[in-house]
Amino acid sequence: MRHILTALLASAALAGVAQADPLRDSALEIFKPLPSTIPAVKDNPVTPEKIELGKALFFDPRISASGVFSCYSCHNLTTGGDDNMETSVGHGWQKGPRNSPTVLNAVLNEAQFWDGRAEDLKAQAKGPVQAGVEMANTPAVVEATLNSMPAYVNLFQVAFPGEENAANFDNMAKAIEAFEATLVTPAPFDAWLNGDDAALSDDAKAGLQLFVDKGCSSCHSGVNVGGHGYYPFGLIEKPGSEILPPGDKGRFAVTETADDEYVFRAAPLRNIALTAPYFHSGKVWDLAVAVEIMAESQLGEALKPEETAQIVAFLDSLTGTVPVITLPNLPPETATTPRPTAVVQ
Amino acid sequence: MRHILTALLASAALAGVAQADPLRDSALEIFKPLPSTIPAVKDNPVTPEKIELGKALFFDPRISASGVFSCYSCHNLTTGGDDNMETSVGHGWQKGPRNSPTVLNAVLNEAQFWDGRAEDLKAQAKGPVQAGVEMANTPAVVEATLNSMPAYVNLFQVAFPGEENAANFDNMAKAIEAFEATLVTPAPFDAWLNGDDAALSDDAKAGLQLFVDKGCSSCHSGVNVGGHGYYPFGLIEKPGSEILPPGDKGRFAVTETADDEYVFRAAPLRNIALTAPYFHSGKVWDLAVAVEIMAESQLGEALKPEETAQIVAFLDSLTGTVPVITLPNLPPETATTPRPTAVVQ
């Protein structure tokens, strides 16, 4: 029996199964691997019916006043869950105020938006639909749109059984939240946290060590390697006004507390290699440069080039696998569907 | 043996398998069911590798100068392969000149665009990318974009083996054509043409009979129920200037022949119930109204309401099944990827 055990242990070691590893032990105190099941959300049981409806709504440009924009427009699931622009283009070709954050793994953030002003994804989902610079729509028109299509009304009734007038704005947001809860992206870092020694390169491991030792993980921690906690941008040294525009005081606009000037939610770093440009201003396109700016402004550290490269290698290990998403077939309009408005100014 | 044959024939009849049917016989002389395999295209063998690359390109907004628009923006595969707007919104919120046609089954059209100015889909694909009111990009910038991403270069090399500098504008168009060739949508009308008596309702069959008898099928015929042949809009009676704007002389702009004033390619009618609003001007939202306008302007016929309803029932039977499409994971940008330009005017 002892022989068999010894042989098993030896083969486990050869296969790269976890050995005692102080780096992993300390990492597990700071970070958490993604769950293997769809995360639960507050006051909104996630059901297959809600997910299906939410996917349809996420892809539906008729939610916007112009008929041009859907959630997918700025949270493009083919390019990391964001739109790869400094700030998004919205209704009438207006420029949004801040860089579009990724929807991938957003369900695991403590709160939504750069300033955390939405408690959760169902609260978040209502924002862009009504924002004048984004979809420029109203709840009344959205509800008229949804109720004009019998196939949508049916999807809502199935997703929210027993509710009268189920095709309403609140349920739209809940269904979108349910779909977005499915958008978690397991990455090599998760495999390594879960015990697969071979999942991270030596550079990535060295980068992780630096990420912890230098203090990055003081703010960027937890399951989303960020996405919770609020911190001033420029804690040690304010970056230039292009990167930190003086007109955007961050969380101050939410709390109206002087301490919250230029305070933002720590950015979640999963899939960060896919979501350039960086920061709320979207002014930095190179991940290495973004790492250097963070080190200087938040930690007062001037990183050596090889340290930056190793931290970037660690960040690359946060690029995950997006779930397979099939395009929905959206309900067709009817004669009573509100027409796109204000298409051209 | 004769007993077995008799029994087989009887059970075939019970299962709704085709009986002698004069309507089907005449329909088969005018129309053709969709093929069961991906249509071949000229000078561009359709391979799985080209299809995969073409799908990525079709969904990639980085093909546009602004980074806002992809092929999918105006040829939305969740809403019938078009954008459900009068005319599309493009670069700088400009309004396009004509209604966006569906990409579904477009491979089977004789030529592309409302005026047939592109011979095939690979010629068509180059148009919107360069049009100032659409994507406003240039071949040089597109090629720089594609070649800045090693994952794209690799996809091109695999799709176009042995070619030097495979990631070029011509191959982009060929790959998009290959993907678009897969977008055929078998419909109840095909099942009926193929012999399934139960696939069409009585109203749809009556509508088909009217469609043939009144003369609609003189122009809207073949596998796409249109999509080939050029005809003057307003053959018998010109519709109003809102529906037929005097500034758009159709195929005249292509041929510069007086006979081609207000001449357009007969619209392909597959999935027409999903692709309101109608006509090159996109001014008519109701399919029944569109049918009435066509009957009056092209045939000098005033349809009775029940005739219109039956023709609409036939047109509904052209709504097909869109292939299952999974979203691609697009190659991530690199430091040398050209940035979105002219995002805000």
Side-chain angles (χ1 to χ4, degrees), chain B residues 133-184:
Chain B
V133 300
E134 300 187 55
M135 292 185 180
N137 215 342
T138 64
V141 171
V142 169
E143 292 182 352
T145 299
L146 297 171
N147 283 289
S148 73
M149 297 183 255
Y152 254 130
V153 173
N154 185 53
L155 286 170
F156 273 96
Q157 284 169 343
V158 170
F160 298 94
E163 291 191 26
E164 271 187 65
N165 303 318
N168 61 52
F169 197 62
D170 281 350
N171 283 346
M172 173 205 77
K174 284 183 177 174
I176 290 172
E177 178 178 58
F179 170 62
E180 291 178 339
T182 70
L183 302 177
V184 295

Side-chain angles (χ1 to χ4, degrees), chain A residues 122-139:
Chain A
K122 63 181 153 302
Q124 189 280 331
K126 295 179 181 177
V129 178
Q130 300 177 80
V133 300
E134 300 188 53
M135 293 186 178
N137 215 340
T138 65

Side-chain angles (χ1 to χ4, degrees), chain A residues 78 84 89 93 325 327 330 343, chain B residues 78 89 93 325 327 330 343:
Chain A
T78 72
N84 301 119
V89 167
W93 210 250
I325 296 162
L327 281 183
L330 297 185
V343 167
Chain B
T78 71
V89 167
W93 210 248
I325 296 161
L327 281 184
L330 298 184
V343 167

Side-chain angles (χ1 to χ4, degrees), chain A residues 16 51 53 109 114-115 122 143 170 181 198 218 238 241 250 255-256 302 327 342 344:
Chain A
I51 292 170
L53 169 60
N109 291 335
W114 281 95
D115 53 16
K122 63 181 153 302
E143 291 182 352
D170 281 350
S218 307
K238 270 206 168 32
S241 65
T255 64
E256 292 183 355
L327 281 183
V344 175

